[in-house]
Each structure stands twice: as structure tokens, then as C-alpha cells.
Amino acid sequence: MHRLISLVTFFATTAAAIFLEADSEGIIDNADYLIVGGGPAGMVLAERLSRDPNHRVVLLEAGPDTFNSTLQNTPAYFPFITDDAVWDYTTQPDASLAGTTVSMRQGRAVGGGTAVNGMAYCRGAASVFDEWATISGNDGLAWESFFQDFLDVSHYVDDPNSEYEQVIDTAAYGNGPLEVSRGGGLSGFEIPFARAIEQELGIHEVDMNDGTGIGIDRGVATIFAGNRTRSYGRTAFGPLMASRVNVQIVYGAWVSKIGFASNRAVNVTYQSKGNARTISAREIILSGGAINTPKLLMLSGVGPRDQLESLGIPVVADRPEIGSNLRDHGVSIVQLLVTPEVLTYWQWSANSTEESLAREQYATNGTGPLGWAEGFIYATFRIPDSVWEGLNDTHYNSLPRDRPHAMIQYASIPFIASVNSSSVTAWAALVQPASSGRVTLQSSEYRDAPLIHTNYYGTKADRAAMLWTYKKLREILNQDPVRQLIVEEFYPGSAVTTDDDIWAAIQKQTLSFFHPVGTVALGSALDSDWRLRGLEGIRVVDTSAFPFPTTCHPQAVVYALGNRASKDILEAD
Ligand SMILES: Cc1cc2nc3c(=O)[nH]c(=O)nc-3n(C[C@H](O)[C@H](O)[C@H](O)COP(=O)(O)OP(=O)(O)OC[C@H]3O[C@@H](n4cnc5c(N)ncnc54)[C@H](O)[C@@H]3O)c2cc1C
Ligand SMILES: *[C@@H]1O[C@H](CO)[C@@H](O)[C@H](O)[C@H]1NC(C)=O
Ligand SMILES: *[C@@H]1O[C@H](CO)[C@@H](O)[C@H](O)[C@H]1NC(C)=O
Ligand SMILES: *[C@@H]1O[C@H](CO)[C@@H](O)[C@H](O)[C@H]1NC(C)=O
Ligand SMILES: *[C@@H]1O[C@H](CO)[C@@H](O)[C@H](O)[C@H]1NC(C)=O
Ligand SMILES: *[C@@H]1O[C@H](CO)[C@@H](O)[C@H](O)[C@H]1NC(C)=O
Ligand SMILES: *[C@@H]1O[C@H](CO)[C@@H](O)[C@H](O)[C@H]1NC(C)=O
Ligand SMILES: *[C@@H]1O[C@H](CO)[C@@H](O)[C@H](O)[C@H]1NC(C)=O
């Protein structure tokens, strides 16, 4: 009866607009499902859970609604998004990198990371998901069943103006709301780079969205084919909810605390322009991403007891695993100066003739480099077992055969220093690293950034793997036909040749791929039904829940994870 009355009030007081500012009138104060975070996981959950008009669903997002932002909608601009739409986090000095700190910025907008990311759409090796199913006890995550979730959330449209052939397994795409298409056009670097990889590694082009883990990918990306603008959580799932009166997406709402009555989560408090508001909920689902979800749990008293007590936070549940198992793809870079024929950031930013041409092409019909996600070829591959000989490695030697160890990719922008010439930055990453880091709190104040301890290449086996991969990348860049395009290796430079010097160069220029996962993992912190073990009324569905990283970029998997979890939640309730 109580539920019926509040539904009636709710319907009577809300307008049709589902996107609301945090200080608006009419925000529901008692939800069935309260979702914290509007990233890909949160947006899919909000859409799926609100299909039943009897479910009152509220999603709270700290960041703004940047739906009309040119910076975000234009693919080539993504590296330059460093405004209000990101949490501008920097990591702690990493001892494994001789003290280097790196940017770990995270999306902070309706759409989360998908509003600001590099748009690569890649699912990777099937055995990752089979292993997740085993670890979590959730059979739905095994590739054979999880595949349906990928089909449910996305569809592929070929770019009508595409300039090259691409291997696409059309059976791997369904008719879900998220549109994916090609990553870009031809800058002049892609094909020579792909040829050099084929020659050096003996691998070939594949579609990494059908369960294939190893090969060369010409890049599927979350870009609308017709106008080459960003396709993301907001554009794919927002419109489906537009006419629903039982769902609200509230932006500018920074959740500072989850309230627990004994071991049951009962409400969340959010901050907006100096005011606090509390919403109670039957079920709370955290989708704040792998850095902010463990932070919010710890602020609310769920985490390692000693750390919480040292900060004066009352302990609700002692959970040492919260914040641990932070895994990311660290990337170590090689910056190149290339011939002016290679169309890079330099042409469309530094040369006014080229810049106006690029703008005109993009405005007329979405063509030209502004619609490209900055260069798009990547390759994933195995490292020879001999690299770990004598290291007593148990991690790498036990990975299934479909699992790549490493990835190389490039972007047509300078990463280290802007240079007065056409420039490309290539990088090497370990995609199944052995080492993990940790997220902790620096204080009990919700506004303070968390402490992010990366621990990249933290084991001997990781270091051997990275050194081999980085050297292999430089060898590939020294092959015909890509070699002809390179004027100079700007970083680390041709004088860097010994293993010691190469290792120092790796340590100095390692960055995050922005793929953190694992901090509230299935199988340890979470049970098979996405619930925090030992607590009630609270689940976690986002990259925090990944037990370990996928073999390429994670966003494709986050959308599918949201879809799978929404089915599980509806079934369980
Ligand atoms: C710069 C960058 C480039 C990337 N490039 C790629 C790429 O090319 N391909 C790819 O696959 N992946 C890429 N990624 C990673 C990908 O975007 C993320 O893995 C993905 O978005 C994670 O989804 P999520 O739902 O777990 O969390 P997020 O996308 O991080 O979303 C979490 C949301 O929750 C909100 N939130 C957090 N805490 C709170 C709180 N306390 N109160 C209210 N709201 C809160 C955040 O503001 C955010 O909007 C990139 C990420 C970044 C940052
Ligand atoms: C985007 O711009 C359109 C056209 O100006 C406007 O109607 C709409 O309200 C804007 N949307 C947002 C979320 O700002
Ligand atoms: C681009 O095209 C898509 C699909 O037609 C559309 O939904 C979107 O609004 C367009 N975006 C812009 C910025 O024009
Ligand atoms: C939120 O829940 C906690 C725990 O039951 C309770 O102490 C607190 O008063 C609640 N907050 C509000 C504003 O209702
Ligand atoms: C700018 O680009 C135009 C067109 O490609 C070219 O003719 C011109 O030489 C370039 N200017 C400079 C300074 O490189
Ligand atoms: C797109 O517009 C440009 C002019 O800006 C033109 O040169 C080009 O031919 C057009 N391409 C297509 C495929 O329509
Ligand atoms: C090798 O690794 C195993 C398992 O991690 C460990 O128990 C053993 O002590 C190691 N041996 C040596 C020589 O380091
Ligand atoms: C960049 O190159 C141009 C053309 O060679 C030259 O005129 C200019 O001074 C250079 N700028 C810088 C910052 O080196």
C-alpha cells in the first residue's frame, strides 16, 4: 500500500523530462533501484530496470550532462577533454616505475568514461569470460551466454565513406541501441604499420568482437557512422527512457555516503551546490567505476578495518578486499616524428589551411580527420614462453592459449611534447598483467581524491614481458614499409639501446591506458549475483566487478555486463 501511494505521488509530481539537475524539484526520494554513477554500466541498468513501469529508478551522476559538447562529440578531440567532464586523478608515485606518477583521469558526465574515452570497441579473448564465470559462480558470464548480452546492447553500421577494407564478423553484432562503426580513415600510417606487424609477428587481421583474442584489429569504434560523432551511454540509452515517468537521471549529484541500517544499505546522500539530499532505496547499485566505487564504499564504512579506523570512519563491514586487486593496462610509449605525408594532429591544428579544410570536411559530411579517433590499428599477441624462463612464473605460463599477453597501438598525436612536425605516438601494453595495485582513501572527506597505487610491471615476470614487448614494438617500427615514414624516434631516441637504458625509458614514460578494473571484484568482494558479500540491499555493477582485465579496451564489456546484471537482478528480485 505504501508503495502504491508513493508511486502515485511520484507520477503526479514529475514532468516528462528524465534528465534533471540535482537541485530540481520533484526528485523522487524513495526508489526501488538507486544507481550511483551514469557510466556505461549505470546507463544500461537504468534503461533495463525501468522498462517495468512499476519500478521507480533513480540514477545519480556527479558530473554534468554534456550532450551538446562539441569537444566530446567530435572524435578527434577526445585527448583534449580535461574539463569538468573528468575526475582529474593523478596516481601515487609508483616504485615499480622509479617514482613516476601518471594521470588516471576518469569520466565524469552522463555517460561516464564513454563520454570522454578513445572510443575503441573491443571484446577480446573468449576465455577471459569463461574464467570470470568460474571465478564468480555466474554461468551467464561464460562467453557462450554472455555473447547474447553483446548482441542485445550494440549494433554495427558500416561507414558509408570508408576508404579501406576491414575484416568484420557480421554475426558478432546484434541490434542493440549502441551504434558502433569504424575508427577512422587513412592517415597514411595504418596500413604500413599493419604490414610491419604481420611481417614481424606473423599475425593477421581479425575482428576482436567475435571471441577472437589474438591478431591485428583495424578498429571498431563507438562512433555514429552517418555523422561521425561520438556514440555513447548517453546517446544510446538516454533516448529509450525519454518518455518514461518512472525513471530519473539526476546530474550534478555527487554521492558522498551510503547509509546502512546494521548490514543493510538503505539510503544514499548526495551533495549538490552546498546542499545535501538523501534518497532511500530498496536496492542500491554502485556503478561509479573502478576508482570511485571502492572510494564510496570506504567512505561509507565498507573496507579494510585498519585503514577506515585510522581515518576515523565508523566500520560497517571489515572488507580488506575492497580497493585491492586494482588492475590496469599500463602503456609505455615510443614517440615518433613522421613524414609530413602522414596526416596527424599537427596538420589539422598547426596549419591553418589544413585546419579549415578539416573543419569543412567534417561539417559538410562528417569526413576528414576530425571524425577519426586519432589513428586506429592495434595488435594483440603472445610473448614467447622463453621470456619467463628461470623466473618461476606461474601467472603467464598458465594463461589459456587464446589469451594474448600484450598489445601495441598508436595515435596520431604527440604524447610527450608537442613537436613542430607530423608526429605519431606508438605504445606497448601488457593486457594480462600479473601485478596489481590498490585504491585507498586519503581522508574521510568525500571531496578528496582517492590514493591510487598502480604498481605497474610489479613482478619480475611483468618486467620481462614489458621489456620484450617494448623492444618488439621498436623492431616493428624499424621494418619496411613503416620505417620509410619515420623521420626520427623522438622518444626514447636512437641512443637508447641497452636493456638498462630501455628499462629506464619505459619507467619514465609509462602512462595509464585508463582501463582500471577489479577493485570490488566478483568472486572475492561480490557474490555470483553482484551483491557485496555479507551485506544486503547493495550491489556493484561496473568495471570494479571485473575479476581481471579483458585482453583489449574494456568499454564493450561494461555495456554487456550492465545488461547481464540487469537480467540477474530482475530474476533475483
Ligand atoms: C581518457 C579515457 C580513454 C579511454 N579510452 C577507451 C577506449 O578507447 N576504449 C575502451 O573500451 N575504453 C576506454 N576507456 C575506458 C572506459 O571508458 C571505461 O572502462 C568505462 O567507461 C568504465 O565504465 P564504468 O561504468 O565502470 O564506469 P565509468 O565510465 O567511470 O562511469 C562511472 C560514472 O559514475 C560517476 N560517479 C562516480 N562516483 C560517483 C559518486 N560518488 N556520485 C555520483 N556519481 C559518481 C562518475 O562521474 C562516472 O560518470 C577510456 C577511459 C578514459 C578515462
Ligand atoms: C542540446 O541542444 C538542443 C538544441 O539547442 C537543446 O534543445 C537541448 O536542450 C540541448 N540539450 C542539452 C542536454 O543540453
Ligand atoms: C549523429 O547521428 C545520430 C544517429 O543518426 C544521431 O542520433 C545524433 O543525434 C547525431 N549527432 C549529432 C551531434 O548530430
Ligand atoms: C539514512 O540511513 C541511516 C541508517 O539507517 C539513518 O541513520 C539516516 O538517518 C538515514 N538518513 C536519512 C536522511 O534518512
Ligand atoms: C599547410 O598545408 C598546405 C596544404 O597542405 C601546404 O600547402 C602548406 O605548405 C602547409 N604550410 C606549412 C607552413 O607547412
Ligand atoms: C565530403 O565533403 C568534401 C568537401 O568538404 C568533399 O570534398 C567530399 O567529396 C565529400 N565526400 C563525400 C563522400 O561526400
Ligand atoms: C616459485 O613460486 C612458488 C609459487 O609462487 C613459490 O612457492 C616458490 O617458493 C617459488 N620458488 C622460488 C625458487 O622462488
Ligand atoms: C615550426 O616550423 C616552421 C616552418 O619550418 C617555422 O617557421 C617555425 O618557426 C617552427 N616553429 C617552432 C616553434 O619551432
Side-chain angles (χ1 to χ4, degrees), residues 258-262 264-269 277-280:
I258 305 156
F260 287 88
S262 140
R264 171 170 284 274
V266 294
N267 61 31
V268 307
T269 298
R277 286 200 196 181
T278 298
I279 300 183
S280 51

Side-chain angles (χ1 to χ4, degrees), residues 393-451:
D393 166 68
T394 49
H395 174 78
Y396 287 97
N397 287 316
S398 67
L399 293 173
R401 301 305 300 178
D402 76 329
R403 209 75 74 78
H405 301 124
M407 174 189 276
I408 55 176
Q409 190 176 347
Y410 80 93
S412 43
I413 49 169
F415 277 21
I416 302 177
S418 55
V419 286
N420 195 9
S421 102
S422 199
S423 172
V424 158
T425 308
W427 64 85
L430 298 180
V431 290
Q432 298 285 285
S435 53
S436 61
R438 174 178 275 281
V439 176
T440 61
L441 294 181
Q442 64 168 302
S443 80
S444 60
E445 164 57 50
Y446 79 94
R447 290 185 196 83
D448 287 345
L451 303 177

Side-chain angles (χ1 to χ4, degrees), residues 427-507:
W427 64 85
L430 298 180
V431 290
Q432 298 285 285
S435 53
S436 61
R438 174 178 275 281
V439 176
T440 61
L441 294 181
Q442 64 168 302
S443 80
S444 60
E445 164 57 50
Y446 79 94
R447 290 185 196 83
D448 287 345
L451 303 177
I452 305 167
H453 307 270
T454 44
N455 193 27
Y456 290 129
Y457 322 140
T459 71
K460 276 187 185 150
D462 279 350
R463 287 193 283 280
M466 192 49 182
L467 183 63
W468 186 89
T469 307
Y470 190 82
K471 286 160 75 171
K472 184 57 75 182
L473 172 60
R474 289 177 91 199
E475 281 166 31
I476 288 166
L477 294 167
N478 202 26
Q479 291 283 317
D480 294 334
V482 75
R483 178 170 58 176
Q484 282 77 11
L485 302 174
I486 297 170
V487 175
E488 187 191 325
E489 190 188 75
F490 179 83
Y491 187 88
S494 54
V496 174
T497 55
T498 65
D499 281 2
D500 283 353
D501 288 354
I502 293 171
W503 189 251
I506 289 172
Q507 288 180 311

Side-chain angles (χ1 to χ4, degrees), residues 80-100:
F80 312 106
I81 305 170
T82 51
D83 56 7
D84 274 0
V86 296
W87 302 92
D88 198 8
Y89 295 148
T90 300
T91 62
Q92 295 302 296
D94 187 334
S96 305
L97 302 181
T100 297

Side-chain angles (χ1 to χ4, degrees), residues 104-106 117-118 120 290-291 326-331 407 409 427 429-431 456 512-518 543 546 548-555:
M104 183 70 85
R105 63 179 189 274
Q106 295 287 286
N117 71 15
I291 307 297
L326 170 66
R327 307 216 179 214
D328 186 19
H329 296 146
V331 304
M407 174 189 276
Q409 190 176 347
W427 64 85
L430 298 180
V431 290
Y456 290 129
S512 174
F513 218 145
F514 308 113
H515 298 169
V517 305
T543 32
F546 287 23
F548 57 82
T550 60
T551 59
C552 48
H553 320 74
Q555 67 166 345

Side-chain angles (χ1 to χ4, degrees), residues 161 360-361 364-365 367:
N161 300 326
E360 188 198 317
Q361 291 172 326
T364 314
N365 49 26
T367 59

